Structures are given as C-alpha cells and as structure tokens.
Amino acid sequence: MLKSKAGKTMMIMLLTLVLIAGAAAAVYQFLGSSSEQAEGSEEEPAEELSAEELRELTWDMEEMTTNLKGNDRYIKTMFSLQADNEKAREELEQRDYQINNIIIHELAQLEPGDIEGSEGTTRMEERIKEQVNEVMTEGKVQRVYTTERVIQ
C-alpha cells in the first residue's frame, strides 16, 4: 500500500487524529447527557400516581373561613395538600395548626381580585405550598389543591 516512510507517517497521524476526535466526541456525549440529567434533577419529574397512591399521600384540611385584606370580604375555603412521601403526609396532619396559621396569614394579605380566576387560584396555591414547605422536615408538599372556595 504505502511504501514511503512519509506515507506511513501520514497514515498514522491521520488515524491518531480520527481516534482523538472520536474519543472527544464520546466524552462530550457522555458529559453532555449527564449534565442534562443533573439540570433536570433539580425538579423531580412528575411521577404518575394512581388515584389510590395519590389519596394515600394527600391530606384534606377542614373548611376554613377567614377575612381577606381590608376586612370587608371573607373567603370560605378548603385545601388538600399532596405530600411527596407518607412521612410527610403524617407530618402535615401533626402540623395542622401551623398550616392553618400559614393559610390564614397568606389569605389575609390577598384582596378578592388577587385570587380571581384560575391564575389567581394557582398563585395562591403556590404561595401556600412554599410557606408550608418552609416548616416541613420529613418531606415536601408537591401540590396544593383548592377543593372549595367561596368569596363573600
């Protein structure tokens, strides 16, 4: 094939370059996929739960009536809080007085217009979730569901 010394050297250099490029591509692919997984792991993917599993992880609060900001309007509401594990669900029950207090304080800051429509309800649920998660030690609240809401 290649009879000259220069030709053999050129072929060896070319093969070396191809091997280095292949190794670099493999390393890039490996590191790129693991960094994407690390970025995605900040928020755990929503696991599809059966209705029974969801019920086991959800704590239903009692009906609550409290004033909204300005004291001329009030809200009658109920929430269900979904925990990320069974111990966290049990902790929600034990911290019921703290959670009621958090919700009363959160609602007292809101005017009726702040919780109108689905966007307002979603913002309220997110604020409640964040506040409750600050006191949790056994897990986290995954979602807050508004199960009843009447503003008068």
Side-chain angles (χ1 to χ4, degrees), residues 32-131:
S33 66
S34 65
S35 69
E36 288 173 8
Q37 289 174 352
E39 289 173 5
S41 66
E42 289 175 12
E43 266 188 47
E44 293 182 22
E47 209 177 288
E48 290 296 322
L49 300 174
S50 69
E52 184 177 331
E53 292 170 323
L54 186 61
R55 174 53 44 211
E56 289 174 6
L57 294 174
T58 303
W59 174 61
D60 297 323
M61 296 182 64
E62 293 183 15
E63 184 179 282
M64 171 184 293
T65 303
T66 188
N67 292 338
L68 294 171
K69 188 175 183 178
N71 290 331
D72 59 338
R73 306 278 302 272
Y74 66 91
I75 185 170
K76 182 174 87 169
T77 188
M78 286 177 58
F79 298 100
S80 293
L81 284 71
Q82 177 191 341
D84 63 354
N85 64 65
E86 184 59 37
K87 284 188 175 192
R89 189 209 165 284
E90 291 170 10
E91 183 182 7
L92 288 170
E93 284 185 60
Q94 294 170 356
R95 292 184 180 274
D96 63 338
Y97 63 95
Q98 285 180 304
I99 295 168
N100 285 337
N101 182 264
I102 287 168
I103 292 173
I104 288 169
H105 282 269
E106 197 58 46
L107 293 174
Q109 298 176 37
L110 300 176
E111 296 179 357
D114 295 335
I115 49 180
E116 284 181 358
S118 63
E119 287 180 10
T121 301
T122 301
R123 280 192 304 270
M124 175 186 63
E125 291 168 347
E126 282 298 313
R127 283 196 298 264
I128 291 169
K129 179 176 110 174
E130 290 169 9
Q131 295 289 322

